[in-house]
Amino acid sequence: MKILVIGAAGMVGRKLTSALLKAGQVGGREISALVLADIVTPQAPDASVPIETHAIDLSAPEAAVRLIASRPDLIFHLAAIVSGEAEADFEKGYRINLDGTRHLLEAIRLEGQKGAYAPRLVFTSSIAVFGEPLPAEIPDEFPLTPLTSYGTQKAICELLLADYSRRGFVDGIGIRLPTVVVRPGKPNKAASGFFSGIIREPLAGVEAVLPVDTSVRHWFASPRAAVSFLLHAAEMDTSSLGQRRSLTMPGLAATVGDEIEALRRVAGDRAVKLIRHEPDPIIAGIVAGWPQAFSAKRAEGLGFVAEKRFDDIIRAHIEDELGGHLG
């Protein structure tokens, strides 16, 4: 099996690559080669299988054609401009998030015209495809009502994925990721970045800024869970999806206050005191329209699993990024 990871230089992409190499197989098929692509050249880890790396802009039509020419059996499409940046730069958001995905789907379709080819495509969507007015707990059947450019771009891509799958051009599955916390490394431009920052920075002994009220409630999963979603989507039987090719992933509903109390239980008062409340009306306005909780029964019934307690999300970060102990 040849696997293509687009967006491989990002946090989830790096963790997914490591998980694939550790497993050595997907769905019982041995991994024979990996192709890693991103806007910057991904770092190739040591491996016993051939690894290609490419710095490529997926929004350029010829870029997808070059990636698909080798006919990867499995494709993970993780590349995207994040929510805050997509809202701030309208043209860039549509060029990368929408046009890049369309170019990829078209490259797959055109390659299939040369001879039978319909790879599994795992597409990372987002819960930002939903927007107010929202019920307290969003069911699987709730319509897509995005209130941001990012959410709109992801919703359009979900429709494209379903149509290209219906036509048999690709075997697609879209997974709507919860907000992934705790993200390691430096903050990105996502409006949701503070959800990770108020945990990551205090655990490292650094002050963190909280731009919203502690009553803000949201839907979370760890990077560890996000990778497990991707791997499960890659090997599951997609015939059970029917025409509804995108799924809301399981997660954990928690308020910012719940996050802070979990941090207190795991790391103590000293960590919590490093959180400084500094309201930001722009971020608060974006977050106000986001979903707060889901009933992800469809995904759970198909075998997707996430954490049940925020303490477990924090401990996963400590184990995976801090060597299993606090400084």
Side-chain angles (χ1 to χ4, degrees), residues 39-281:
I39 194 69
V40 296
T41 305
Q43 184 174 356
D46 294 332
S48 58
V49 299
I51 297 179
E52 296 177 24
T53 60
H54 299 274
I56 207 160
D57 182 353
L58 197 63
S59 66
E62 69 279 2
V65 172
R66 293 202 300 272
L67 290 175
I68 298 303
S70 63
R71 294 192 159 211
D73 304 286
L74 170 61
I75 302 166
F76 293 97
H77 179 20
L78 317 178
I81 295 299
V82 293
S83 54
E85 189 173 4
E87 200 67 16
D89 192 332
F90 183 84
E91 292 182 356
K92 185 177 182 181
Y94 273 89
R95 187 176 70 250
I96 301 298
N97 294 342
L98 177 55
D99 295 345
T101 302
R102 174 73 191 282
H103 293 329
L104 176 63
L105 289 166
E106 271 296 277
I108 293 169
R109 182 181 71 85
L110 294 174
E111 184 63 30
Q113 290 182 350
K114 302 174 185 177
Y117 179 62
R120 172 69 57 89
L121 172 60
V122 181
F123 169 68
T124 51
S125 188
S126 168
I127 58 174
V129 298
F130 301 105
E132 291 184 327
L134 295 169
E137 186 176 82
I138 300 168
D140 287 317
E141 298 77 18
F142 198 79
L144 306 188
T145 54
L147 290 179
T148 63
S149 294
Y150 175 75
T152 301
Q153 292 146 17
K154 289 292 188 179
I156 296 170
C157 290
E158 285 191 12
L159 292 173
L160 289 172
L161 184 72
D163 195 39
Y164 277 68
S165 295
R166 180 183 64 84
R167 296 295 298 268
F169 303 139
V170 68
D171 180 15
I173 175 170
I175 60 172
R176 299 181 190 120
L177 291 176
T179 291
V180 177
V181 295
V182 177
R183 287 180 171 269
K186 296 180 180 179
N188 61 21
K189 295 183 180 180
S192 59
F194 70 90
F195 286 122
S196 286
I198 61 172
I199 303 297
R200 180 186 59 237
E201 268 70 85
L203 287 176
V206 177
E207 186 179 74
V209 173
L210 172 61
V212 302
D213 192 80
T214 56
S215 63
V216 168
R217 191 167 181 251
H218 199 49
W219 189 244
F220 302 102
S222 71
R224 188 185 290 181
V227 170
S228 76
F229 297 156
L230 291 164
L231 294 174
H232 186 59
E235 59 188 15
M236 66 176 285
D237 179 3
T238 54
S239 64
S240 58
L241 295 175
Q243 303 304 319
R244 298 165 62 202
R245 285 277 170 164
S246 293
L247 295 161
T248 300
M249 291 294 98
L252 166 68
T255 66
V256 170
D258 293 332
E259 275 194 81
I260 293 171
E261 288 310 306
L263 177 64
R264 193 189 310 276
R265 288 190 294 271
V266 174
D269 290 335
R270 187 163 65 175
V272 171
K273 289 178 181 178
L274 290 169
I275 300 172
R276 175 167 53 86
H277 191 206
E278 188 176 292
D280 183 323

